[in-house]
Amino acid sequence: MASTKRKIFTYLLFTALALLLVNIAVDLFTHKTKKPVASELSRTEIENTFWKVLDDYGINAEWVKKKKFREEHEDSINAQFLVTLPAEVPIPLIIKDINNVIEKDITGFVSKEMQIFGATEIRIYTNEMLKLKATLTPDPKLARNRNDFSFIISDAFTLSDKKFSDFLNVTYPVAAAIVPDTDELLKVDSLQRFSKEYVLLINNDIDDSKMKLVQEYQKELLRSSIRNILSAFPNAKYVTVEERSKLFNSPIYNFVRDEFKKRRFTVFPLSEFIRLETEDEQELVSKFKFYSEDTTASRQKVFYLTLDNFGKITPLIVKYKKQGSKIVPVSKSYLSIKQKN
């Protein structure tokens, strides 16, 4: 009997030790998730947030004035911001972006109040203390320092069906470059349904004998090819030519160019556009940023790039659009003026 009790005791002892070791192991190898402690945003942090959001929307610092502020029961600040901004800038979105940062402080909130003449007053509180007061007043005379962008997708008509569908569903008014060919007419019809424009690209890839522009053709045959091209693609906005093509470097080029001009089409060389065809993403982004932020040259930019590269720079497009730049159809770019001249 005593032997049995000792066995039971020994068994229970080893079981307890085993459970203890398991618990120690769990404590050692399991990291308990600590909930972040919400800290109250300081007045400086809130002001920095305010300035950053204004900068994100392309608001010039000269449009922001700081003025002394005194109000009974609101002695936590001694100055307020008076912001005059272009009427096109969406004040509700500015407030939303500020609030996206402020709400990280669980005690913080933004109050807004519409005033006469369209002004909006915002007050930012944390822990029930006023940390920032600003009045935003739209002014139709002001305009942001912006550029207009147009995009021509160079490979739209050589993409897979899935990728071509992606192109059609791009929310911006991008255009497609098309090498003239009757086999492409079905795809061309789909462009209009998705509010997409197209330009005709003359290069060495034209296989349709009725549309070829080759040195072996007599002038009348060349005229016929030009008529066939323009009748098959009546909604083309522009005609562009690859400088490395046989046509561009042949004796017939001037004749072909002039024949298009008679039909109200200026033939633009591809070098007219800003070409973003590099496969190096860092180089692509750097080049796009350079031209997009340049305000010393033309404010209207026409970019020529693949759909894949367009996707890579889309976050930057969103950024520049927020700052006031516009994405316009290629038909509304500066090319329309050059074509008329």
Side-chain angles (χ1 to χ4, degrees):
M1 185 70 176
S3 175
T4 302
K5 286 183 178 180
R6 279 198 300 272
K7 287 180 180 179
I8 293 172
F9 176 77
T10 303
Y11 172 77
L12 292 174
L13 179 62
F14 276 109
T15 300
L17 287 172
L19 290 172
L20 180 62
L21 290 172
V22 169
N23 286 333
I24 292 172
V26 169
D27 287 339
L28 285 174
F29 296 104
T30 302
H31 298 285
K32 293 182 179 179
T33 304
K34 293 183 178 179
K35 293 183 179 180
V37 178
S39 58
E40 182 180 330
L41 293 171
S42 68
R43 188 173 67 185
T44 300
E45 288 173 319
I46 290 173
E47 286 193 9
N48 288 342
T49 296
F50 180 71
W51 278 107
K52 182 183 182 306
V53 171
L54 292 183
D55 184 62
D56 288 345
Y57 282 88
I59 305 303
N60 195 316
E62 295 178 358
W63 301 338
V64 184
K65 307 297 181 187
K66 206 168 184 179
K67 184 180 177 182
K68 288 184 179 180
F69 170 74
R70 288 190 65 182
E71 186 176 300
E72 191 177 357
H73 308 305
E74 297 286 13
D75 58 356
S76 53
I77 62 171
N78 54 22
Q80 62 178 320
F81 293 95
L82 303 178
V83 184
T84 307
L85 67 172
E88 61 171 328
V89 178
I91 292 177
L93 292 184
I94 290 180
I95 295 172
K96 179 183 177 183
D97 284 3
I98 294 172
N99 204 43
N100 286 340
V101 178
I102 301 304
E103 67 183 6
K104 293 176 183 177
D105 179 344
I106 60 173
T107 69
F109 67 95
V110 180
S111 74
K112 63 177 180 177
E113 180 182 338
M114 296 298 295
Q115 297 182 342
I116 57 174
F117 305 118
T120 301
E121 179 189 281
I122 62 172
R123 297 185 181 218
I124 300 176
Y125 294 86
T126 60
N127 203 20
E128 299 185 358
M129 289 184 63
L130 181 63
K131 295 292 181 69
L132 184 141
K133 178 181 180 293
T135 301
L136 311 179
T137 305
D139 184 346
K141 296 178 183 177
L142 292 181
R144 289 180 285 181
N145 207 17
R146 67 168 188 240
N147 291 319
D148 289 346
F149 304 146
S150 297
F151 297 93
I152 301 173
I153 305 302
S154 61
D155 61 347
F157 272 58
T158 59
L159 297 169
S160 66
D161 290 344
K162 169 65 171 63
K163 286 285 188 178
F164 184 70
S165 177
D166 292 342
F167 161 73
L168 292 177
N169 286 289
V170 170
T171 55
Y172 298 113
V174 296
I178 303 174
V179 176
D181 194 311
T182 51
D183 290 342
E184 306 290 9
L185 295 180
L186 192 61
K187 275 188 173 180
V188 169
D189 289 341
S190 66
L191 295 180
Q192 192 169 2
R193 295 198 302 271
F194 287 84
S195 301
K196 296 291 186 288
E197 298 179 340
Y198 64 90
V199 301
L200 296 174
L201 172 62
I202 308 299
N203 60 14
N204 295 332
D205 297 331
I206 301 178
D207 296 323
D208 193 323
S209 60
K210 293 182 179 180
M211 297 183 180
K212 276 184 176 292
L213 297 168
V214 292
Q215 190 172 340
E216 292 76 19
Y217 280 14
Q218 297 298 316
K219 287 185 177 180
E220 193 50 48
L221 263 180
L222 291 171
R223 288 193 186 97
S224 177
S225 290
I226 292 171
R227 284 195 297 267
N228 290 336
I229 289 171
L230 295 181
S231 63
F233 300 91
N235 295 316
K237 300 305 176 184
Y238 306 106
V239 176
T240 184
V241 62
E242 170 63 70
E243 289 100 325
R244 291 172 294 184
S245 66
K246 292 178 182 178
L247 170 64
F248 188 80
N249 296 286
S250 72
I252 66 167
Y253 175 69
N254 288 346
F255 173 79
V256 170
R257 180 197 61 198
D258 294 343
E259 287 298 313
F260 271 111
K261 188 65 177 177
K262 289 177 184 178
R263 293 161 177 80
R264 295 182 295 178
F265 277 93
T266 297
V267 178
F268 294 103
L270 276 181
S271 58
E272 178 72 36
F273 314 133
I274 302 169
R275 300 179 71 166
L276 301 175
E277 296 174 295
T278 177
E279 294 182 2
D280 185 316
E281 187 167 349
Q282 187 174 355
E283 181 184 343
L284 168 72
V285 169
S286 177
K287 190 173 182 180
F288 180 63
K289 288 176 71 174
F290 172 79
Y291 284 103
S292 298
E293 295 173 8
D294 177 30
T295 56
T296 59
S298 171
R299 291 297 183 88
Q300 295 186 319
K301 325 278 184 177
V302 180
F303 296 96
Y304 188 85
L305 70 172
T306 64
L307 182 65
D308 186 50
N309 279 357
F310 180 82
K312 291 174 182 176
I313 63 170
T314 295
L316 283 172
I317 295 173
V318 172
K319 171 188 172 183
Y320 294 132
K321 190 170 181 290
K322 191 174 186 179
Q323 291 177 343
S325 290
K326 291 185 176 180
I327 316 303
V328 300
V330 71
S331 61
K332 297 187 183 300
S333 69
Y334 72 92
L335 297 174
S336 62
I337 298 173
K338 293 188 75 170
Q339 180 144 278
K340 291 175 183 177
N341 295 336

